[in-house]
Amino acid sequence: MTKSNNSQYTLNSQSSTYTEVQTLLQGSGIDLTHKRFLILQGEVESIAQMKPKGTSEYDDKLLEYLEDIIGTAMLKAPIESALAEVYRLGEERVEKVARLRIVEKEKAKLDAERKEALAWLKLANEHVRALSQLWQYYLWKCLENNEQFAAQIVSA
């Protein structure tokens, strides 16, 4: 601003018009309509006296004012939907953990029966091995007797 109350604008060290600067700033997402990109003289006191947070969605207080200036107001809906999804997933996790605990208790109850079944299978396996050894002994005795009888037949 000069002494004659004229403004001069430059872009990239070149002289420019207000319209070009305005188009560039709006293209960058700066809200020139509501002039939230700067705090004008006299607004500092009114901003300082704002309550911290609005009571409803449409009540603009300091937090909402700052969110509007920063540009995070547009992120409220995605954040709220993400929070709802986190809450839903938390509920689902609680259900799954409770179900897991029930299954673990049932597994612990069945563990004693599993050990008993394994012990029975080991005994049954030992029994079959002992019978196998007995039948192998009988077969060996039969073959030994067969050789003796064959030798007696040849010598007689």
Side-chain angles (χ1 to χ4, degrees):
M1 180 86 68
T2 62
K3 288 183 180 182
S4 62
N5 210 15
N6 292 333
S7 299
Q8 292 179 341
Y9 300 97
T10 58
L11 283 175
N12 296 329
S13 301
Q14 294 179 359
S15 184
S16 180
T17 65
Y18 174 75
T19 310
E20 291 174 346
V21 172
Q22 185 179 15
T23 305
L24 178 70
L25 291 174
Q26 285 177 338
S28 298
I30 296 176
D31 183 12
L32 296 175
T33 309
H34 299 100
K35 297 187 177 169
R36 297 280 176 111
F37 62 95
L38 54 89
I39 298 174
L40 300 174
Q41 186 176 358
E43 288 185 19
V44 174
E45 188 176 326
S46 64
I47 292 171
Q49 292 176 355
M50 285 182 159
K51 290 188 177 181
K53 189 173 181 180
T55 54
S56 70
E57 184 178 339
Y58 304 103
D59 190 15
D60 284 344
K61 298 298 179 196
L62 182 61
L63 178 63
E64 290 78 18
Y65 183 77
L66 291 174
E67 285 177 340
D68 196 23
I69 291 172
I70 297 168
T72 57
M74 65 181 186
L75 300 175
K76 278 186 175 180
I79 289 171
E80 288 175 1
S81 66
L83 283 174
E85 180 70 10
V86 165
Y87 180 76
R88 185 190 66 78
L89 291 172
E91 293 284 323
E92 190 175 316
R93 181 191 167 277
V94 167
E95 290 174 14
K96 301 279 183 187
V97 167
R99 190 169 163 209
L100 174 68
R101 288 190 179 131
I102 291 170
V103 168
E104 284 176 343
K105 286 179 184 177
E106 290 176 6
K107 180 186 163 233
K109 288 178 185 175
L110 294 174
D111 194 41
E113 294 176 17
R114 181 188 66 87
K115 288 179 181 177
E116 184 180 333
L118 280 175
W120 184 86
L121 285 173
K122 285 180 182 178
L123 284 174
N125 192 15
E126 288 176 15
H127 177 71
V128 168
R129 285 178 189 257
L131 284 177
S132 175
Q133 287 177 347
L134 180 65
W135 286 108
Q136 287 176 16
Y137 174 76
Y138 287 156
L139 180 63
W140 176 70
K141 278 296 193 185
C142 286
L143 290 174
E144 195 176 78
N145 288 341
N146 190 23
E147 289 175 6
Q148 287 177 358
F149 288 128
Q152 284 179 359
I153 292 175
V154 170
S155 63

